[in-house]
Amino acid sequence: MEYLQLFFFYLVALVAIVAGFCVISCKNPINSAISLVMTFFCLAIFYVMLHAPFMAAIQIMVYAGAIMVLIIFVMMLLNQGAEVIARYRHAVIGAFVAAALMMVQIIVLIKQGAVSATVGPISSDVIETVGHTELIGQALFTDFLLPFEIASILLLVAIVGAVVLAKREV
Amino acid sequence: MYDKLWLIPLFPFVGFLINGLLGKKIKNEKVIGAIGTLAIFSSFVVSCKYFLQLLEDSNKVHEVVVTSWMSVGQLQVDWGLLLDPLSALMIMNVTGLATLITFYSIGYMHGEEGYFRFFSYLNLFSFAMLMLVLGSNALVMFVGWEGVGLCSYLLIGYYYEKKSASDAGKKAFVVNRVGDFGFLLGLFLLFWSLGQKGVWTIRFTEIAANAHLLENGGLIVTIITLCFFLGATGKSAQIPLYTWLPDAMEGPTPVSALIHAATMVTAGVYMIARMNGLFAMAPDTMMVIAIVGGATALFAATIGLAQNDIKRVLAYSTVSQLGYMFLAMGVGAFTAGIFHLLTHAFFKACLFLGSGSVIHGMHHAYHHAHLDDDPQDMRNMGGLRKKMPITFYTFLFSTLAISGIPFFSAFFSKDEILWWSLSSTRGHWALWLMGALAALMTAFYMFRLVFMTFFGEQKTDARAKDHIPESPLVITLPLMILAALATFGGLMGVPHVLGQYIGHFPNAIENFLAPIFEHTQHLHHIEAHGAAATEFTFMGISVGIAVVGIGLAWLMYCKKPQLPGLIVAKFPALHRAIYNKWYIDEFYDAMVVNPTKKLGTTLWLIFDVRLVDGLVNGVAWVVKGSGRALRYTQTGYTHNYAMSMVAGVVAIIAIYVFN
Amino acid sequence: MITITHYMVLSAILFSMGTVGVLTRRNAIVVFMCVELMLNSVNLTFIALSSHLGNMDGQIFVFFIMTVAAAEAAVGLALMIAYFRNRESIDVEEFSLLKW
């Protein structure tokens, strides 16, 4: 059972990584976008495996649904063809080197560090009896009420800002 | 009762603001002049009210704190005003004369460029002078002290496009700096040494009350008072710092009358009177003051003998008269000094304004005839008494006053000084001799001036001579008022010996000032001794001296006009020395000014050009070079910036990884 | 057994890939998508740690990150439209007005 789980994890991780690679390498932005949706789905699967079904749901709805649709709309609106990959080869090489260096460093850091054992009260049993959505809701409307309200203002500002920016004449 | 005292300096300050800020817009000369005169006149009215109130009051010392200024450690300074008999006399003097002279200026300055500037400066000067005399502590006095110095500089350099005028302004300012430096040092030392005795104060009333804490006649008190006296020599044009005052005549004549005769130059005398308790404790300083005063009186009088510029004669006369006041201060006759200060303000203001009236007329005539002669040169005048009768008579009365003719004002004040210089416990016959000789010369050069200007043949250029008018009423009215004051002003200080013969006529000024000086004089044994007969004898001698002086002048400049030429021919070296002011300016140039200049130039070439400029330019050069090199990193491409960010993140993580 | 380390290494890989995309791609929308990829990798870390520690805070954080990402998407895309309208292009290499 455990091996099966691990096998499943590696499978999904592989899909996520391949899709991610497609995002950064496809010449056609639409293909990049579709690959990104694929990555989002893989992450949603991980969220379910991590006993966070609500997060998985909004991952699919907000990211894969709303945001990606918005991006694809804009792409169609601007009607950009396939792009030429960066003019300066040494810049591309430099980017790869820097990112690889960063990845190696982070992984070293993860290996070096020791994550503490379980400290909080939320175990998978609690989530199953109470329900994930209710737990999120409780946290959101008690401890994080102020940030929640501020987030609503942020969204309002973003809406207004988007309208103002995208309008032809202000 | 006295809480509105701050109105007195406020009015001229408001006048200064209005004329200074809006004068250029107003343009109308009458309005500007009216504002200036009204401002100082209001102040005069308020001063009169408080003066009369103080006369009635039994309590003679009133201190009004307007607001707190600063509080630093032990030092508490308020914007405080002090009204006592001394400052009351001074504010009457300042506001009264300033009113007359501002009024006079309306006519005199007519048509000058920067009319509003002149009036705003005059009001600013009045404000500063009133702060000086009313200040209840040494720091407020110092604000006024510096303020009048500034106004003096501005007004001497009023015709700033004329090089000699702007140079004279600078000279006055720099020479005064030397004195101010002494004033400040004295103030610091006084504050510190009183503080050592447990009294941290710079308020005059407290200084007077606590002066006894210092050692009587000790070194500290002598140094303090000498420092203050250095300040006084600068402001009041005494040896060795008198050289700026004759040059200050480059300013317009009303300025010479107000600042350089009647008010500002007497600030040093006032300051010594204000701190009389301190000065009386330092006999050595008093001796220095008396000697310097007497020497200045004599020395300046000798220079006055041979000058040809009408204003310069008056300038040296002012220096000489100020010497008298210091002589009085030095022998402990504070009342006599202040008395002479007042009478001198009357007759000298009148003389200056009279000379202004003459210059005005001469200028008018030359202008009419399109000539470019010097309207101040007495050799071009003569016979003006027919042309300008009012100016002549007012001038004559003032000249009689300054010469010490009986019952004119300076007769009383000068005689009192001479009497004290002989009879005071701190007096000496040598001091009296200096004073008496100076009186002789004063009578001589003043009547020389009158004879050369108003009598004899008219020596003006023929084209201009018929166009010299009498000045308008706006100029002659102040002259008449001042001449009346110069004539009768002495009655406020009739000496006791004379007073008792004419029905117990009181010495009003002495009684009035008694609360301030009485204490000091009894405490320190400064009093006159001598019989009434002796006093009468010396009074007679001084009258005789005056008459001799006048007679000599008459002989040389009316009876036998060839006589001066003969004398000059006989003593050419002496005449050249006097005419060139004993070469004192040249001496100072060689001893002080040029070495300082040389030092400045050397420092400039070494420190400024090489070190300071080098540093500044070096910094600029480094910044420029590094900027030029670094700007290539600013490609403008978003990718490059993002790349730098990533590099930064990598570096930060590296710190964690390798730690 | 899937440990927390698995998730974090995966997250690191995805994050680095996103970085490469941001640094090399020239189409502004693709750059934007790469940023979203980076954000998502961080979200994964948050949720993994939250579930490991038995604490809801990490998930709440993700919730807010999503909110901000949505707002960012709206404003960012509006900016691109406005920019495209002016320059007929959303090529990042033409965004070079910051130059000396």
PDB file of all heavy atoms in Angstrom, chain B residues 631-639 641-644 646 649, chain C residues 19 22-26 31 92-93 95-100:
ATOM      1  N   ARG B 631      26.924  52.984 -14.947  1.00  0.00           N
ATOM      2  CA  ARG B 631      25.684  53.140 -15.701  1.00  0.00           C
ATOM      3  C   ARG B 631      25.530  52.056 -16.754  1.00  0.00           C
ATOM      4  O   ARG B 631      24.443  51.804 -17.236  1.00  0.00           O
ATOM      5  CB  ARG B 631      25.601  54.521 -16.330  1.00  0.00           C
ATOM      6  CG  ARG B 631      26.464  54.713 -17.517  1.00  0.00           C
ATOM      7  CD  ARG B 631      26.214  56.057 -18.143  1.00  0.00           C
ATOM      8  NE  ARG B 631      27.015  56.164 -19.346  1.00  0.00           N
ATOM      9  CZ  ARG B 631      26.881  57.139 -20.218  1.00  0.00           C
ATOM     10  NH1 ARG B 631      26.005  58.072 -20.014  1.00  0.00           N
ATOM     11  NH2 ARG B 631      27.628  57.178 -21.299  1.00  0.00           N
ATOM     12  N   TYR B 632      26.641  51.356 -17.105  1.00  0.00           N
ATOM     13  CA  TYR B 632      26.499  50.278 -18.094  1.00  0.00           C
ATOM     14  C   TYR B 632      25.723  49.106 -17.532  1.00  0.00           C
ATOM     15  O   TYR B 632      25.232  48.274 -18.281  1.00  0.00           O
ATOM     16  CB  TYR B 632      27.881  49.836 -18.578  1.00  0.00           C
ATOM     17  CG  TYR B 632      28.534  50.912 -19.401  1.00  0.00           C
ATOM     18  CD1 TYR B 632      29.604  51.638 -18.929  1.00  0.00           C
ATOM     19  CD2 TYR B 632      28.017  51.233 -20.659  1.00  0.00           C
ATOM     20  CE1 TYR B 632      30.163  52.652 -19.665  1.00  0.00           C
ATOM     21  CE2 TYR B 632      28.568  52.240 -21.399  1.00  0.00           C
ATOM     22  CZ  TYR B 632      29.648  52.955 -20.901  1.00  0.00           C
ATOM     23  OH  TYR B 632      30.188  53.961 -21.640  1.00  0.00           O
ATOM     24  N   THR B 633      25.624  49.041 -16.191  1.00  0.00           N
ATOM     25  CA  THR B 633      24.816  47.956 -15.631  1.00  0.00           C
ATOM     26  C   THR B 633      23.332  48.237 -15.793  1.00  0.00           C
ATOM     27  O   THR B 633      22.518  47.325 -15.696  1.00  0.00           O
ATOM     28  CB  THR B 633      25.111  47.781 -14.142  1.00  0.00           C
ATOM     29  OG1 THR B 633      24.761  48.990 -13.477  1.00  0.00           O
ATOM     30  CG2 THR B 633      26.576  47.493 -13.892  1.00  0.00           C
ATOM     31  N   GLN B 634      22.979  49.488 -16.054  1.00  0.00           N
ATOM     32  CA  GLN B 634      21.562  49.818 -16.210  1.00  0.00           C
ATOM     33  C   GLN B 634      21.178  49.632 -17.672  1.00  0.00           C
ATOM     34  O   GLN B 634      21.138  50.583 -18.437  1.00  0.00           O
ATOM     35  CB  GLN B 634      21.304  51.247 -15.761  1.00  0.00           C
ATOM     36  CG  GLN B 634      21.681  51.520 -14.326  1.00  0.00           C
ATOM     37  CD  GLN B 634      20.831  50.750 -13.362  1.00  0.00           C
ATOM     38  OE1 GLN B 634      19.616  50.738 -13.463  1.00  0.00           O
ATOM     39  NE2 GLN B 634      21.467  50.063 -12.422  1.00  0.00           N
ATOM     40  N   THR B 635      20.860  48.365 -18.047  1.00  0.00           N
ATOM     41  CA  THR B 635      20.582  48.110 -19.461  1.00  0.00           C
ATOM     42  C   THR B 635      19.178  48.506 -19.840  1.00  0.00           C
ATOM     43  O   THR B 635      18.885  48.702 -21.003  1.00  0.00           O
ATOM     44  CB  THR B 635      20.751  46.631 -19.768  1.00  0.00           C
ATOM     45  OG1 THR B 635      19.898  45.916 -18.878  1.00  0.00           O
ATOM     46  CG2 THR B 635      22.177  46.188 -19.539  1.00  0.00           C
ATOM     47  N   GLY B 636      18.287  48.552 -18.857  1.00  0.00           N
ATOM     48  CA  GLY B 636      16.902  48.850 -19.171  1.00  0.00           C
ATOM     49  C   GLY B 636      16.104  47.609 -19.495  1.00  0.00           C
ATOM     50  O   GLY B 636      14.889  47.674 -19.664  1.00  0.00           O
ATOM     51  N   TYR B 637      16.771  46.453 -19.610  1.00  0.00           N
ATOM     52  CA  TYR B 637      16.035  45.230 -19.925  1.00  0.00           C
ATOM     53  C   TYR B 637      15.528  44.579 -18.651  1.00  0.00           C
ATOM     54  O   TYR B 637      16.295  44.341 -17.719  1.00  0.00           O
ATOM     55  CB  TYR B 637      16.919  44.243 -20.689  1.00  0.00           C
ATOM     56  CG  TYR B 637      17.209  44.706 -22.079  1.00  0.00           C
ATOM     57  CD1 TYR B 637      18.487  45.111 -22.456  1.00  0.00           C
ATOM     58  CD2 TYR B 637      16.188  44.759 -23.027  1.00  0.00           C
ATOM     59  CE1 TYR B 637      18.741  45.565 -23.716  1.00  0.00           C
ATOM     60  CE2 TYR B 637      16.439  45.207 -24.305  1.00  0.00           C
ATOM     61  CZ  TYR B 637      17.713  45.611 -24.646  1.00  0.00           C
ATOM     62  OH  TYR B 637      17.950  46.065 -25.901  1.00  0.00           O
ATOM     63  N   THR B 638      14.241  44.280 -18.636  1.00  0.00           N
ATOM     64  CA  THR B 638      13.628  43.687 -17.444  1.00  0.00           C
ATOM     65  C   THR B 638      14.342  42.399 -17.044  1.00  0.00           C
ATOM     66  O   THR B 638      14.521  42.125 -15.863  1.00  0.00           O
ATOM     67  CB  THR B 638      12.156  43.383 -17.721  1.00  0.00           C
ATOM     68  OG1 THR B 638      11.655  44.360 -18.589  1.00  0.00           O
ATOM     69  CG2 THR B 638      11.371  43.354 -16.448  1.00  0.00           C
ATOM     70  N   HIS B 639      14.747  41.636 -18.061  1.00  0.00           N
ATOM     71  CA  HIS B 639      15.412  40.367 -17.773  1.00  0.00           C
ATOM     72  C   HIS B 639      16.659  40.558 -16.922  1.00  0.00           C
ATOM     73  O   HIS B 639      16.909  39.796 -15.995  1.00  0.00           O
ATOM     74  CB  HIS B 639      15.816  39.677 -19.084  1.00  0.00           C
ATOM     75  CG  HIS B 639      14.662  38.988 -19.712  1.00  0.00           C
ATOM     76  ND1 HIS B 639      14.568  38.767 -21.073  1.00  0.00           N
ATOM     77  CD2 HIS B 639      13.555  38.479 -19.182  1.00  0.00           C
ATOM     78  CE1 HIS B 639      13.442  38.152 -21.335  1.00  0.00           C
ATOM     79  NE2 HIS B 639      12.804  37.964 -20.199  1.00  0.00           N
ATOM     80  N   TYR B 641      17.323  42.903 -14.827  1.00  0.00           N
ATOM     81  CA  TYR B 641      16.979  43.214 -13.441  1.00  0.00           C
ATOM     82  C   TYR B 641      16.519  41.966 -12.714  1.00  0.00           C
ATOM     83  O   TYR B 641      16.887  41.725 -11.565  1.00  0.00           O
ATOM     84  CB  TYR B 641      15.906  44.308 -13.388  1.00  0.00           C
ATOM     85  CG  TYR B 641      16.359  45.602 -14.022  1.00  0.00           C
ATOM     86  CD1 TYR B 641      15.656  46.175 -15.060  1.00  0.00           C
ATOM     87  CD2 TYR B 641      17.512  46.224 -13.576  1.00  0.00           C
ATOM     88  CE1 TYR B 641      16.083  47.344 -15.641  1.00  0.00           C
ATOM     89  CE2 TYR B 641      17.949  47.395 -14.164  1.00  0.00           C
ATOM     90  CZ  TYR B 641      17.227  47.951 -15.200  1.00  0.00           C
ATOM     91  OH  TYR B 641      17.655  49.102 -15.781  1.00  0.00           O
ATOM     92  N   ALA B 642      15.688  41.185 -13.386  1.00  0.00           N
ATOM     93  CA  ALA B 642      15.207  39.943 -12.766  1.00  0.00           C
ATOM     94  C   ALA B 642      16.381  39.032 -12.463  1.00  0.00           C
ATOM     95  O   ALA B 642      16.439  38.399 -11.404  1.00  0.00           O
ATOM     96  CB  ALA B 642      14.222  39.240 -13.683  1.00  0.00           C
ATOM     97  N   MET B 643      17.339  39.018 -13.404  1.00  0.00           N
ATOM     98  CA  MET B 643      18.530  38.187 -13.211  1.00  0.00           C
ATOM     99  C   MET B 643      19.287  38.614 -11.960  1.00  0.00           C
ATOM    100  O   MET B 643      19.715  37.771 -11.158  1.00  0.00           O
ATOM    101  CB  MET B 643      19.426  38.336 -14.448  1.00  0.00           C
ATOM    102  CG  MET B 643      20.590  37.399 -14.487  1.00  0.00           C
ATOM    103  SD  MET B 643      20.018  35.714 -14.674  1.00  0.00           S
ATOM    104  CE  MET B 643      21.494  34.861 -14.168  1.00  0.00           C
ATOM    105  N   SER B 644      19.419  39.920 -11.769  1.00  0.00           N
ATOM    106  CA  SER B 644      20.121  40.391 -10.567  1.00  0.00           C
ATOM    107  C   SER B 644      19.370  39.966  -9.316  1.00  0.00           C
ATOM    108  O   SER B 644      19.980  39.606  -8.311  1.00  0.00           O
ATOM    109  CB  SER B 644      20.267  41.909 -10.561  1.00  0.00           C
ATOM    110  OG  SER B 644      20.178  42.407 -11.838  1.00  0.00           O
ATOM    111  N   VAL B 646      17.526  37.331  -8.927  1.00  0.00           N
ATOM    112  CA  VAL B 646      17.758  35.903  -8.695  1.00  0.00           C
ATOM    113  C   VAL B 646      19.151  35.699  -8.113  1.00  0.00           C
ATOM    114  O   VAL B 646      19.335  34.930  -7.162  1.00  0.00           O
ATOM    115  CB  VAL B 646      17.571  35.109 -10.005  1.00  0.00           C
ATOM    116  CG1 VAL B 646      18.007  33.657  -9.802  1.00  0.00           C
ATOM    117  CG2 VAL B 646      16.136  35.169 -10.433  1.00  0.00           C
ATOM    118  N   VAL B 649      18.980  36.412  -4.566  1.00  0.00           N
ATOM    119  CA  VAL B 649      18.343  35.325  -3.807  1.00  0.00           C
ATOM    120  C   VAL B 649      19.335  34.187  -3.609  1.00  0.00           C
ATOM    121  O   VAL B 649      19.480  33.646  -2.497  1.00  0.00           O
ATOM    122  CB  VAL B 649      17.086  34.840  -4.539  1.00  0.00           C
ATOM    123  CG1 VAL B 649      16.549  33.580  -3.882  1.00  0.00           C
ATOM    124  CG2 VAL B 649      16.034  35.932  -4.537  1.00  0.00           C
TER     125      VAL B 649
ATOM    126  N   THR C  19      11.510  30.036 -12.290  1.00  0.00           N
ATOM    127  CA  THR C  19      12.526  31.098 -12.379  1.00  0.00           C
ATOM    128  C   THR C  19      13.150  31.134 -13.761  1.00  0.00           C
ATOM    129  O   THR C  19      13.305  32.212 -14.362  1.00  0.00           O
ATOM    130  CB  THR C  19      13.619  30.846 -11.332  1.00  0.00           C
ATOM    131  OG1 THR C  19      13.006  30.589 -10.085  1.00  0.00           O
ATOM    132  CG2 THR C  19      14.551  32.028 -11.227  1.00  0.00           C
ATOM    133  N   VAL C  22      10.829  32.781 -16.138  1.00  0.00           N
ATOM    134  CA  VAL C  22      10.780  34.245 -15.983  1.00  0.00           C
ATOM    135  C   VAL C  22      12.000  34.882 -16.626  1.00  0.00           C
ATOM    136  O   VAL C  22      11.912  35.918 -17.284  1.00  0.00           O
ATOM    137  CB  VAL C  22      10.683  34.628 -14.496  1.00  0.00           C
ATOM    138  CG1 VAL C  22      10.894  36.118 -14.309  1.00  0.00           C
ATOM    139  CG2 VAL C  22       9.338  34.226 -13.936  1.00  0.00           C
ATOM    140  N   LEU C  23      13.153  34.226 -16.468  1.00  0.00           N
ATOM    141  CA  LEU C  23      14.387  34.845 -16.949  1.00  0.00           C
ATOM    142  C   LEU C  23      14.581  34.710 -18.450  1.00  0.00           C
ATOM    143  O   LEU C  23      15.305  35.491 -19.052  1.00  0.00           O
ATOM    144  CB  LEU C  23      15.595  34.238 -16.235  1.00  0.00           C
ATOM    145  CG  LEU C  23      15.725  34.577 -14.748  1.00  0.00           C
ATOM    146  CD1 LEU C  23      16.956  33.923 -14.179  1.00  0.00           C
ATOM    147  CD2 LEU C  23      15.800  36.077 -14.541  1.00  0.00           C
ATOM    148  N   THR C  24      13.975  33.704 -19.068  1.00  0.00           N
ATOM    149  CA  THR C  24      14.289  33.485 -20.486  1.00  0.00           C
ATOM    150  C   THR C  24      13.160  33.857 -21.431  1.00  0.00           C
ATOM    151  O   THR C  24      13.423  34.225 -22.571  1.00  0.00           O
ATOM    152  CB  THR C  24      14.639  32.005 -20.744  1.00  0.00           C
ATOM    153  OG1 THR C  24      13.572  31.201 -20.256  1.00  0.00           O
ATOM    154  CG2 THR C  24      15.927  31.628 -20.040  1.00  0.00           C
ATOM    155  N   ARG C  25      11.918  33.752 -21.002  1.00  0.00           N
ATOM    156  CA  ARG C  25      10.839  33.976 -21.965  1.00  0.00           C
ATOM    157  C   ARG C  25      10.677  35.454 -22.275  1.00  0.00           C
ATOM    158  O   ARG C  25      10.956  36.312 -21.439  1.00  0.00           O
ATOM    159  CB  ARG C  25       9.526  33.394 -21.433  1.00  0.00           C
ATOM    160  CG  ARG C  25       9.555  31.907 -21.258  1.00  0.00           C
ATOM    161  CD  ARG C  25       9.957  31.182 -22.539  1.00  0.00           C
ATOM    162  NE  ARG C  25       9.008  31.390 -23.591  1.00  0.00           N
ATOM    163  CZ  ARG C  25       8.099  30.481 -23.956  1.00  0.00           C
ATOM    164  NH1 ARG C  25       8.059  29.289 -23.347  1.00  0.00           N
ATOM    165  NH2 ARG C  25       7.263  30.709 -24.934  1.00  0.00           N
ATOM    166  N   ARG C  26      10.212  35.752 -23.491  1.00  0.00           N
ATOM    167  CA  ARG C  26      10.077  37.148 -23.893  1.00  0.00           C
ATOM    168  C   ARG C  26       8.628  37.596 -23.955  1.00  0.00           C
ATOM    169  O   ARG C  26       8.362  38.793 -23.930  1.00  0.00           O
ATOM    170  CB  ARG C  26      10.737  37.353 -25.250  1.00  0.00           C
ATOM    171  CG  ARG C  26      12.219  37.088 -25.178  1.00  0.00           C
ATOM    172  CD  ARG C  26      12.825  37.095 -26.542  1.00  0.00           C
ATOM    173  NE  ARG C  26      12.594  38.374 -27.211  1.00  0.00           N
ATOM    174  CZ  ARG C  26      12.816  38.555 -28.498  1.00  0.00           C
ATOM    175  NH1 ARG C  26      13.265  37.564 -29.237  1.00  0.00           N
ATOM    176  NH2 ARG C  26      12.601  39.723 -29.038  1.00  0.00           N
ATOM    177  N   VAL C  31       5.758  34.994 -19.226  1.00  0.00           N
ATOM    178  CA  VAL C  31       6.478  35.355 -18.016  1.00  0.00           C
ATOM    179  C   VAL C  31       5.522  35.354 -16.838  1.00  0.00           C
ATOM    180  O   VAL C  31       5.806  34.826 -15.756  1.00  0.00           O
ATOM    181  CB  VAL C  31       7.139  36.751 -18.178  1.00  0.00           C
ATOM    182  CG1 VAL C  31       7.699  37.238 -16.851  1.00  0.00           C
ATOM    183  CG2 VAL C  31       8.227  36.688 -19.221  1.00  0.00           C
ATOM    184  N   VAL C  92       8.942  41.370 -23.742  1.00  0.00           N
ATOM    185  CA  VAL C  92       9.600  41.951 -22.567  1.00  0.00           C
ATOM    186  C   VAL C  92      10.893  42.658 -22.951  1.00  0.00           C
ATOM    187  O   VAL C  92      11.279  43.645 -22.353  1.00  0.00           O
ATOM    188  CB  VAL C  92       9.875  40.846 -21.531  1.00  0.00           C
ATOM    189  CG1 VAL C  92      10.558  41.424 -20.309  1.00  0.00           C
ATOM    190  CG2 VAL C  92       8.599  40.161 -21.137  1.00  0.00           C
ATOM    191  N   GLU C  93      11.549  42.178 -24.005  1.00  0.00           N
ATOM    192  CA  GLU C  93      12.825  42.790 -24.383  1.00  0.00           C
ATOM    193  C   GLU C  93      12.652  44.183 -24.957  1.00  0.00           C
ATOM    194  O   GLU C  93      13.614  44.919 -25.100  1.00  0.00           O
ATOM    195  CB  GLU C  93      13.563  41.897 -25.380  1.00  0.00           C
ATOM    196  CG  GLU C  93      13.854  40.551 -24.781  1.00  0.00           C
ATOM    197  CD  GLU C  93      15.225  40.047 -25.124  1.00  0.00           C
ATOM    198  OE1 GLU C  93      15.710  40.391 -26.210  1.00  0.00           O
ATOM    199  OE2 GLU C  93      15.801  39.327 -24.291  1.00  0.00           O
ATOM    200  N   PHE C  95      10.727  46.258 -23.394  1.00  0.00           N
ATOM    201  CA  PHE C  95      10.473  47.114 -22.222  1.00  0.00           C
ATOM    202  C   PHE C  95      11.814  47.646 -21.753  1.00  0.00           C
ATOM    203  O   PHE C  95      12.362  47.184 -20.786  1.00  0.00           O
ATOM    204  CB  PHE C  95       9.875  46.303 -21.061  1.00  0.00           C
ATOM    205  CG  PHE C  95       8.527  45.705 -21.315  1.00  0.00           C
ATOM    206  CD1 PHE C  95       7.915  45.778 -22.544  1.00  0.00           C
ATOM    207  CD2 PHE C  95       7.851  45.060 -20.289  1.00  0.00           C
ATOM    208  CE1 PHE C  95       6.672  45.205 -22.765  1.00  0.00           C
ATOM    209  CE2 PHE C  95       6.618  44.505 -20.504  1.00  0.00           C
ATOM    210  CZ  PHE C  95       6.022  44.562 -21.742  1.00  0.00           C
ATOM    211  N   SER C  96      12.350  48.614 -22.463  1.00  0.00           N
ATOM    212  CA  SER C  96      13.710  49.020 -22.095  1.00  0.00           C
ATOM    213  C   SER C  96      13.802  50.514 -21.821  1.00  0.00           C
ATOM    214  O   SER C  96      14.840  51.118 -21.988  1.00  0.00           O
ATOM    215  CB  SER C  96      14.693  48.632 -23.186  1.00  0.00           C
ATOM    216  OG  SER C  96      14.297  49.274 -24.366  1.00  0.00           O
ATOM    217  N   LEU C  97      12.698  51.106 -21.388  1.00  0.00           N
ATOM    218  CA  LEU C  97      12.733  52.548 -21.137  1.00  0.00           C
ATOM    219  C   LEU C  97      13.511  52.904 -19.871  1.00  0.00           C
ATOM    220  O   LEU C  97      13.807  54.063 -19.635  1.00  0.00           O
ATOM    221  CB  LEU C  97      11.308  53.085 -21.003  1.00  0.00           C
ATOM    222  CG  LEU C  97      10.560  53.204 -22.323  1.00  0.00           C
ATOM    223  CD1 LEU C  97       9.150  53.669 -22.069  1.00  0.00           C
ATOM    224  CD2 LEU C  97      11.273  54.182 -23.231  1.00  0.00           C
ATOM    225  N   LEU C  98      13.835  51.921 -19.041  1.00  0.00           N
ATOM    226  CA  LEU C  98      14.556  52.219 -17.804  1.00  0.00           C
ATOM    227  C   LEU C  98      16.029  52.448 -18.053  1.00  0.00           C
ATOM    228  O   LEU C  98      16.803  52.637 -17.151  1.00  0.00           O
ATOM    229  CB  LEU C  98      14.399  51.055 -16.820  1.00  0.00           C
ATOM    230  CG  LEU C  98      13.056  50.952 -16.125  1.00  0.00           C
ATOM    231  CD1 LEU C  98      13.003  49.685 -15.298  1.00  0.00           C
ATOM    232  CD2 LEU C  98      12.843  52.146 -15.215  1.00  0.00           C
ATOM    233  N   LYS C  99      16.411  52.396 -19.333  1.00  0.00           N
ATOM    234  CA  LYS C  99      17.828  52.499 -19.661  1.00  0.00           C
ATOM    235  C   LYS C  99      18.370  53.895 -19.400  1.00  0.00           C
ATOM    236  O   LYS C  99      17.638  54.862 -19.367  1.00  0.00           O
ATOM    237  CB  LYS C  99      17.999  52.147 -21.152  1.00  0.00           C
ATOM    238  CG  LYS C  99      19.396  51.740 -21.499  1.00  0.00           C
ATOM    239  CD  LYS C  99      19.462  50.991 -22.802  1.00  0.00           C
ATOM    240  CE  LYS C  99      18.669  51.604 -23.931  1.00  0.00           C
ATOM    241  NZ  LYS C  99      18.970  50.948 -25.199  1.00  0.00           N
ATOM    242  N   TRP C 100      19.712  54.000 -19.260  1.00  0.00           N
ATOM    243  CA  TRP C 100      20.361  55.278 -19.021  1.00  0.00           C
ATOM    244  C   TRP C 100      20.258  56.176 -20.240  1.00  0.00           C
ATOM    245  O   TRP C 100      20.367  55.752 -21.344  1.00  0.00           O
ATOM    246  CB  TRP C 100      21.867  55.089 -18.701  1.00  0.00           C
ATOM    247  CG  TRP C 100      22.510  53.938 -19.377  1.00  0.00           C
ATOM    248  CD1 TRP C 100      22.541  52.660 -18.949  1.00  0.00           C
ATOM    249  CD2 TRP C 100      23.195  53.934 -20.625  1.00  0.00           C
ATOM    250  NE1 TRP C 100      23.182  51.859 -19.807  1.00  0.00           N
ATOM    251  CE2 TRP C 100      23.614  52.594 -20.858  1.00  0.00           C
ATOM    252  CE3 TRP C 100      23.499  54.894 -21.575  1.00  0.00           C
ATOM    253  CZ2 TRP C 100      24.316  52.207 -22.018  1.00  0.00           C
ATOM    254  CZ3 TRP C 100      24.200  54.515 -22.704  1.00  0.00           C
ATOM    255  CH2 TRP C 100      24.596  53.172 -22.917  1.00  0.00           C
TER     256      TRP C 100
END
